Amino acid sequence: MRKSIASYLTLALTICILLYSSFSSDETIDLGKYSTEGLVLDYTVGVDANINDDALALNDATESFAPYLGKSFVGFKEALAFKESGGDYFSVNTFGYLGKYQFGASTLKLIGIHNPSKFLKNPALQEKAFIANAARNKWILRRDIKNFVGKRINGVVVTESGILAAAHLAGPGSVKKYLRSYGLDNFTDGYGTTVQYYMKRFSGYDTSFVKPDRKAKAI
């Protein structure tokens, strides 16, 4: 019985010495020879076969990936918002223009908004304001859209989305002057941005979603 106990103790001591030697060795283990080739791997996240590489577009400004919105109406308003404020609902510029789309207080009044402070804190209202203002501008500029879309002014093809974007920047009156003067009367805002620049930058989007409405209101 004593010999058996002594044998087990000797075996256990030998194993401990071998283990200690292997862990205390300075020899680096080469993991390069190990591979998962041929193994069946059980991932917790499946591959989505519906993902299309073309569904992602690189945003040059942020160097990050974002959903590709193309020339859709959502693409139009988000591109315009990014130019205006970087897409920040709570932005106020040095001239006091407010929100994601940089509205002035006088324009807000025209579409039924009389409290700029509450407007700035309400993203949903800002989205409604953008639609209402675009609808109002489209009604005011309906004849100019009919007469000038497809024509080229100062080397830029006039499109409906370009007209609506320029109207957002400078107001529909300034856009009328630009079109009817064939580009000679080119409004410039406080930061040096022109009607012609917006005509070119935001051309070719699908703005058919916006319906002309003389009395369009956000509220």
Side-chain angles (χ1 to χ4, degrees):
M1 183 71 175
R2 289 181 180 178
K3 287 184 179 181
S4 297
I5 294 174
S7 297
Y8 284 124
L9 289 175
T10 302
L11 178 60
L13 181 60
T14 301
I15 292 172
C16 289
I17 292 172
L18 290 173
L19 288 173
Y20 175 79
S21 298
S22 64
F23 282 111
S24 62
S25 173
D26 292 330
E27 183 182 354
T28 302
I29 298 175
D30 181 12
L31 297 177
K33 63 183 179 181
Y34 294 94
S35 172
T36 59
E37 184 178 358
L39 296 179
V40 178
L41 303 178
D42 184 16
Y43 290 103
T44 57
V45 180
V47 177
D48 188 347
N50 294 321
I51 292 177
N52 186 334
D53 290 338
D54 292 333
L56 296 176
L58 184 62
N59 187 322
D60 292 332
T62 60
E63 293 298 322
S64 62
F65 284 97
Y68 179 67
L69 301 173
K71 290 292 186 176
S72 67
F73 177 72
V74 175
F76 169 71
K77 74 182 187 66
E78 292 305 315
L80 187 56
F82 189 82
K83 177 65 177 68
E84 292 288 336
S85 70
D88 182 2
Y89 284 109
F90 309 106
S91 172
V92 180
N93 76 5
T94 53
F95 293 100
Y97 288 84
L98 307 167
K100 179 178 177 180
Y101 301 102
Q102 294 291 280
F103 278 98
S106 59
T107 300
L108 290 176
K109 288 179 182 179
L110 293 174
I111 53 177
I113 299 172
H114 300 278
N115 190 325
S117 296
K118 287 186 178 180
F119 169 79
L120 188 62
K121 299 174 184 177
N122 191 334
L125 182 57
Q126 291 186 35
E127 296 296 336
K128 290 180 181 178
F130 180 81
I131 301 296
N133 188 55
R136 181 177 175 276
N137 287 339
K138 192 169 182 177
W139 185 87
I140 295 171
L141 293 163
R142 64 196 185 282
R143 292 190 181 90
D144 297 277
I145 290 171
K146 181 180 179 180
N147 293 333
F148 288 97
V149 165
K151 294 183 178 180
R152 191 179 293 271
I153 297 178
N154 290 338
V156 178
V157 176
V158 177
T159 65
E160 182 179 284
S161 62
I163 288 175
L164 293 181
H168 183 87
L169 169 77
S174 294
V175 175
K176 280 187 178 185
K177 291 178 181 178
Y178 174 82
L179 293 172
R180 296 177 186 186
S181 70
Y182 283 86
L184 294 177
D185 193 334
N186 190 14
F187 171 90
T188 303
D189 75 356
Y191 295 110
T193 307
T194 65
V195 165
Q196 180 180 320
Y197 175 78
Y198 264 44
M199 284 277 190
K200 182 177 181 180
R201 175 78 178 265
F202 300 103
S203 67
Y205 286 88
D206 180 6
T207 51
S208 59
F209 172 85
V210 179
K211 305 303 178 186
D213 185 353
R214 182 171 63 92
K215 298 180 179 180
K217 301 292 181 183
I219 297 178

